[in-house]
């Protein structure tokens, strides 16, 4: 009987997966330059490996994230080290300030092709707890503003200056929530687009210095 997947087991399986897959010839990816195709390939490989060992829920596009189980609640992101970023669905403007609402597991690879081989060197693997998935710059400044005694109008002005998506009603609601609740420091860079654009350059380099973010780093 398979055991239930836990967050700690997920992190360990991700680390082991990176070490194992970095030693394999991924022939199906020879000559493939489409980052989305590489990402889908890696995600499916990892999900299949987890499914063989654990009792877990695998997501689909309707559920929105890859591992939607209540105790796991994690989306898998796979990105090239040349530009470590990806997109995710836009749900509301508050995600920039209070986090995406789910954990992230980020695989960062270097792809090396020859005529008959494809190597995926996984250079970074980072698990980011959901409370750390807000925008770094915006949360940093909001925390400072609250300490300095900012009022609702100050907060609304800042949200407007930073082009946080929304109208006057959304800004007013966000300002009320920001002033009445705790804003945690986020570590992603989240750019506005039709979908959120998540950039991982900062977070993958943290070297386990931040509680709630687990980093594995390899040198080849």
């Amino acid at each position: 009987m398979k055991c239930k997947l836990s967050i700690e087991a997920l992190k360990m399986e991700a680390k082991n997966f990176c070490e194992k897959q970095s030693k394999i010839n991924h022939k199906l990816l020879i000559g493939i330059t489409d980052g989305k195709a590489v990402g889908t390939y890696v995600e499916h490989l990892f999900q299949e490996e987890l499914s063989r060992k654990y009792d877990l829920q695998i997501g689909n596009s309707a559920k929105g994230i890859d591992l939607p189980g209540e105790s796991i609640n994690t989306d898998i992101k796979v990105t090239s080290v040349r530009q470590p970023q990806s997109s995710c669905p836009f749900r509301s403007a508050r995600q920039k300030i209070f986090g995406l609402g789910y954990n992230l597991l980020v695989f960062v690879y270097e792809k090396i092709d020859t005529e008959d081989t494809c190597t995926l060197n996984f250079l970074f693997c980072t698990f980011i707890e959901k409370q750390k998935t807000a925008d770094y710059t915006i949360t940093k400044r909001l925390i400072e503003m609250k300490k300095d005694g900012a009022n609702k109008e100050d907060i609304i002005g800042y949200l407007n200056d930073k082009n946080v998506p929304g109208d006057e009603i959304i800004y007013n609601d966000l300002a009320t929530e920001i002033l009445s609740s705790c804003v945690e420091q986020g570590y992603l860079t989240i750019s506005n687009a039709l979908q959120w654009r998540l950039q991982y350059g900062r977070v993958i380099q943290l070297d386990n210095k931040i509680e709630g973010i687990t980093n594995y780093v390899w040198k080849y």
Side-chain angles (χ1 to χ4, degrees), residues 3 6 28 90 94 97 101 121 126 145 147 149 156-157 165 186 196:
C3 60
S6 67
L28 292 176
F90 172 94
R94 72 185 302 281
I97 300 156
N121 286 331
T126 300
M145 290 177 70
K147 286 181 179 176
I156 290 173
W196 290 129

Side-chain angles (χ1 to χ4, degrees), residues 177-211:
E177 186 174 4
I178 288 164
L179 290 171
S180 63
S181 58
C182 176
V183 176
E184 286 211 37
Q185 178 64 60
Y187 286 90
L188 300 179
T189 299
I190 305 178
S191 303
N192 295 344
L194 293 177
Q195 295 185 313
W196 290 129
R197 198 75 190 159
L198 310 179
Q199 298 175 40
Y200 306 113
R202 175 183 293 102
V203 76
I204 63 177
Q205 301 283 356
L206 288 173
D207 196 24
N208 295 302
K209 294 176 182 175
I210 302 297
E211 185 177 353

